[in-house]
Amino acid sequence: MKTDLSNSQSFGIILVLISGACWGFHGVIIKKAYEVGASFQQVFFAETLFASIFFLFFARSFGHKQRPHTTSQWRDLAMCGIASLALGTFLFLAFSLGPIAIGATLLFLYMPQVYGYAVFRGIQSFSYLKTVSICLLLLGAGATTNILGTFDGDGFTGAIFAALAASTCYAIIFLLTPRLSAFTSATFRSFSISFICFLGSGAMLLAFPFTRNQEPIEWLPFLGLALVLGFLGQTLPVITLMKGIPIVGSSIAGALASIELPVAVISSAIFLGETVTITQSLGVALVFIGIILFNLPSRNAARKLKTAEP
């Protein structure tokens, strides 16, 4: 029994790590989409369209027992989808209103929000080790993105608030997923989230012209990139995250998902030829150390065997 639990936990860890790694590679490839004239919101729309179509192939598995039945269950699923849509939208605003580093770094404030909620609700007991590991993860994120170098000017208040809102939306996704797993399958959750994001991002593109790039798009290379981005940005990482979070828990999954930053830095150096500074290397090391420390057992932080109810 203990071996089965250990194997399940290991499988969940691998799933979340795959999700984070995909988003790391996604950050590199999306730069290519910008080069052919697409905006962040246009890429988001294309990705969620691809994911919605992909998950529709599993429609036969959306059986009666694998989808919501009560109003509150549909509400929770809708909230998770809306949080995903808002996450992408607020990130777009943060990237538009200030340097990329602000959005990329402050997004990681989802980690203390998820862990703090778990401690507050009694899902986990407080651990100094996990608190230190979260601080290391945040320091690593800041060093990796060189966030201090972005504050030489001013006028970044909008970007900061948008990034903070994005981090809260990301935390909501981590906190709601264990509850959703009680009455939905991972494929149904993934389809619902992708479809809500597809409808919402399409509506925003129509309603707000500033979300569209005014330059003409090179459609042939963009369509090719959209297929890759759809798989790496909204299909594989979403399904692995939806499967992984209920297994390992919200707070552990939040720490594991931060593997995204080191993967983004390393893949940027390999595929884009970007130079990795000493500060970025230190940041990557801190992120890895933080992930390892967070997953170490501690005497006063044994996870309680009860279901999370955000």
Side-chain angles (χ1 to χ4, degrees):
M1 181 68 178
K2 187 175 181 180
T3 302
D4 292 340
L5 182 62
S6 177
N7 291 337
S8 176
Q9 188 82 353
S10 298
F11 181 61
I13 289 173
I14 292 172
L15 288 174
V16 179
L17 288 175
I18 290 174
S19 180
C22 283
W23 277 318
F25 285 118
H26 172 268
V28 174
I29 300 173
I30 201 172
K31 294 180 181 179
K32 297 292 185 180
Y34 294 157
E35 291 176 2
V36 299
S39 69
F40 180 90
Q41 200 69 25
Q42 287 169 321
V43 172
F44 189 46
F45 174 78
E47 290 178 358
T48 52
L49 171 60
F50 175 91
S52 298
I53 295 173
F54 177 87
F55 289 121
L56 268 179
F57 284 101
F58 299 90
R60 289 188 176 182
S61 68
F62 301 163
H64 183 70
K65 295 181 180 180
Q66 294 183 314
R67 61 174 184 262
H69 295 94
T70 67
T71 302
S72 61
Q73 289 176 346
W74 282 108
R75 178 203 63 202
D76 290 344
L77 183 61
M79 284 176 59
C80 194
I82 293 171
S84 301
L85 172 63
L87 168 61
T89 303
F90 282 124
L91 269 183
F92 166 74
L93 287 175
F95 294 158
S96 302
L97 297 174
I100 298 295
I102 291 178
T105 303
L106 296 185
L107 174 65
F108 280 79
L109 288 174
Y110 76 87
M111 290 184 292
Q113 295 181 62
V114 172
Y115 180 63
Y117 184 88
V119 172
F120 177 76
R121 290 297 302 269
I123 301 165
Q124 284 187 316
S125 52
F126 177 78
S127 165
Y128 289 107
L129 179 63
K130 294 189 185 302
T131 303
V132 169
S133 70
I134 288 175
C135 291
L136 289 175
L137 287 166
L138 294 176
L139 286 173
T144 303
T145 58
N146 191 28
I147 189 171
L148 294 180
T150 66
F151 291 107
D152 294 336
D154 53 13
F156 299 143
T157 304
I160 292 172
F161 278 112
L164 291 175
S167 72
T168 299
C169 293
Y170 203 16
I172 289 172
I173 296 169
F174 278 94
L175 292 170
L176 278 178
T177 299
R179 179 192 291 181
L180 297 177
S181 67
F183 53 83
T184 59
S185 64
T187 50
F188 187 83
R189 292 194 298 276
S190 300
F191 167 73
S192 301
I193 290 171
S194 299
F195 190 64
I196 290 172
C197 290
F198 162 66
L199 293 178
S201 59
M204 288 183 181
L205 284 171
L206 291 174
F208 304 108
F210 72 89
T211 61
R212 305 190 297 269
N213 199 332
Q214 300 306 312
E215 299 295 326
I217 296 176
E218 298 176 33
W219 285 104
L220 189 59
F222 173 69
L223 290 176
L225 288 167
L227 292 176
V228 178
L229 288 167
F231 180 74
L232 286 179
Q234 291 294 325
T235 306
L236 183 59
V238 171
I239 187 67
T240 50
L241 195 68
M242 290 297 105
K243 283 181 173 289
I245 292 177
I247 297 174
V248 300
S250 298
S251 58
I252 292 178
L256 292 169
S258 63
I259 195 72
E260 171 190 348
L261 265 181
V263 171
V265 171
I266 295 171
S267 57
S268 293
I270 295 174
F271 297 109
L272 301 180
E274 295 184 359
T275 302
V276 179
T277 65
I278 295 176
T279 302
Q280 286 179 313
S281 299
L282 176 61
V284 168
L286 288 175
V287 170
F288 278 124
I289 293 171
I291 291 174
I292 293 171
L293 288 179
F294 199 93
N295 284 277
L296 290 177
S298 55
R299 287 177 298 177
N300 64 328
R303 191 176 173 204
K304 297 183 179 180
L305 298 177
K306 68 177 186 178
T307 303
E309 281 192 13

